[in-house]
Amino acid sequence: GGDVDRYQGAKNFVELMTEDRAFWQSFSNAMIIGGANIIKMLPSIITAVCLHRVRNERLQFIYRVGFVVPMVIPMLVTVLLWKAFYEPTNGVINYLLRATGGMELLAWLSTAAAGMSSLDPSGMLAWIGNLFKAGENPAWLGSPKLAMLSLILWGFPWVGSFGVLVYLACLQQIGKDIYEAAEVDGANWFHKFRHIELPLILKQVRVMMILVIMGSINDAGLVMALFGIEGGPGGAVQVPALFMFREAFLSQRMGYACGIGVVLFSIILMMTKLNHWLIKPAE
């Protein structure tokens, strides 16, 4: 019995790394979500730059307060509101699609894609085919095909108050004389962003990117609140942290869950080091 217990930890790692496809599928989901979340950082950066360029100080103060207020609202409340938006019959999203004719457009595109799916049997056309049907309300959170899209669209237009305030605090360190010198040299709005503002906030962008990567792998609360403990229909949007939670508290495999935690820690550490190496802000 002692020999079995002695090597059980190693067996857990072997099973996790070589046999457990569900874990690697959850990690693949986390990478898709993480990549989308990195792209979703752009609206916060653009918003911070626009706020920084507001010349009226009083108006800029009002805007800053407006971005601080949403931080008081718990994230769970926001998630539950979005869950109501995704409701098939009375949800805001389906209501807007019906009211604007978007539902018919999506159904037409889906039918057209289904007709051309033979050209791309395993690609995007096959995925879109029969995704939307005329006269039917899409179940955003109940369809395996739509679950990932729903999770990515969550929080639109993706202007995070915390990110905006972090970038804005850095941008306010730029003196007016720098902008005046740039204007004398004929710099337009894009040149100012590319050569003055972006280099200054790149260090903060790197920090936020690390937090986004870590959150995509470790944050099970968002997925659980929207899709439940199963991680969506058929585990379509299950992430590693949720997988670890299920193994520990539902399957009662505590040792296996600890092994998952060690693997996640190692992966996050390597990705953080890689991020430091790839993105080197100007000193």
Side-chain angles (χ1 to χ4, degrees), residues 63-75 77-78 159-162 165:
Y63 286 145
R64 288 202 304 267
V65 172
F67 277 97
V68 170
V69 171
M71 296 178 67
V72 181
I73 303 174
M75 182 179 177
V77 175
T78 307
V159 180
S161 300
F162 179 72
L165 295 177

Side-chain angles (χ1 to χ4, degrees), residues 86-146:
Y86 280 131
E87 209 276 328
T89 54
N90 300 318
V92 174
I93 295 178
N94 283 348
Y95 172 79
L96 291 176
L97 288 174
R98 291 193 302 267
T100 59
M103 196 74 76
E104 287 76 10
L105 177 61
L106 290 175
W108 179 82
L109 290 174
S110 184
T111 303
M116 296 185 294
S117 60
S118 58
L119 303 175
D120 190 17
S122 59
M124 183 61 70
L125 291 176
W127 181 81
I128 298 176
N130 298 319
L131 191 59
F132 300 96
K133 296 181 180 180
E136 294 185 10
N137 294 320
W140 294 95
L141 302 182
S143 169
K145 286 187 175 182
L146 289 175

Side-chain angles (χ1 to χ4, degrees), residues 192-239:
K192 294 176 184 178
F193 173 74
R194 172 66 180 83
H195 299 287
I196 299 176
E197 295 162 340
L198 183 59
L200 184 65
I201 65 174
L202 194 57
K203 185 178 295 184
Q204 279 63 39
V205 170
R206 182 177 66 176
V207 173
M208 296 295 293
M209 192 176 297
I210 293 173
L211 295 176
V212 164
I213 294 172
M214 293 175 62
S216 300
I217 297 175
N218 284 334
D219 186 14
L222 172 61
V223 177
M224 192 183 301
L226 282 176
F227 299 94
I229 192 76
E230 298 296 328
V237 291
Q238 182 173 241
V239 292

